[in-house]
Amino acid sequence: DGGITQSPKYLFRKEGQNVTLSCEQNLNHDAMYWYRQDPGQGLRLIYYSQIVNDFQKGDIAEGYSVSREKKESFPLTVTSAQKNPTAFYLCASSHRTGAYGYTFGSGTRLTVV
Amino acid sequence: QKEVEQNSGPLSVPEGAIASLNCTYSDRGSQSFFWYRQYSGKSPELIMSIYSNGDKEDGRFTAQLNKASQYVSLLIRDSQPSDSATYLCAVWDNYGQNFVFGPGTRLSVLP
């Protein structure tokens, strides 16, 4: 079955540590996206990519980095420069025009310990 | 900065009633509108899309779009306790090539 897989489901980060969240899709979607959701808040766009080897900053890119070396994969690194990384991170994919909407992964909950 | 606004709620309705969820958007050129449902601790799931003015029905759900007023709504008929969730309005940004989400409306259906 086609879908989008995020891992891990839960992640704990120590102060000053970089961590990488995985996102893989087998839907043959060109576009992939990373959103952050804080408790009781909406979705805020971190980074997105419309095509392999190209990506754009969203509204809250500072302290995050991404790569898009393969169509199927769009990993997100939360760097030590992100001072408040505790949140629910959602990866999504879609056709480049947004037709049919996003398909979301199940999310990764990141906590700073 | 394109904006999508929703009443944050919570919106409480009795079981069997009609729940009405509203959304306004700032970009007059927007063409694609989606509603997502998100249960607590879970990822959003697509409920409905609408592209043309008027109503679109799918089971107990009806999406309504009025582009002149920049307004889109979601009606849930015969509300069930299982409909209790946060409902997110999403509007496609043609320039940015991504969806802009509203903050969501939390719906509580009381048995």
Side-chain angles (χ1 to χ4, degrees), chain B residues 15-70:
Chain B
E15 184 175 354
I18 296 175
S20 178
L21 305 165
N22 304 318
C23 171
T24 59
Y25 57 94
S26 63
D27 183 6
R28 185 169 291 278
S30 297
Q31 299 292 325
S32 302
F33 308 87
F34 289 75
W35 283 99
Y36 289 84
R37 176 176 63 199
Q38 186 177 25
Y39 292 113
S40 181
K42 302 295 185 183
S43 61
E45 53 182 328
L46 180 64
I47 299 176
M48 289 196 68
S49 60
I50 188 165
Y51 306 95
S52 304
N53 280 331
D55 295 359
K56 178 182 178 182
E57 188 173 317
D58 184 0
R60 295 187 295 114
F61 298 98
T62 299
Q64 300 174 317
L65 176 60
N66 183 327
K67 291 183 180 179
S69 300
Q70 296 174 238

Side-chain angles (χ1 to χ4, degrees), chain A residues 39-99:
Chain A
Q41 304 294 315
L43 276 63
R44 292 187 290 168
L45 183 63
I46 306 173
Y47 269 98
Y48 62 107
S49 168
Q50 293 284 322
I51 195 169
V52 174
N53 292 323
D54 189 37
F55 48 83
Q56 288 75 41
K57 293 182 179 180
D59 301 320
I60 56 165
E62 186 174 350
Y64 300 97
S65 66
V66 293
S67 63
R68 187 88 186 275
E69 297 177 359
K70 298 187 301 182
K71 186 176 183 177
E72 300 80 15
S73 178
F74 191 41
L76 173 73
T77 296
V78 184
T79 75
S80 57
Q82 173 48 243
K83 297 306 179 188
N84 185 23
T86 296
F88 188 45
Y89 290 86
L90 287 160
C91 181
S93 68
S94 75
H95 295 287
R96 200 177 304 176
T97 62

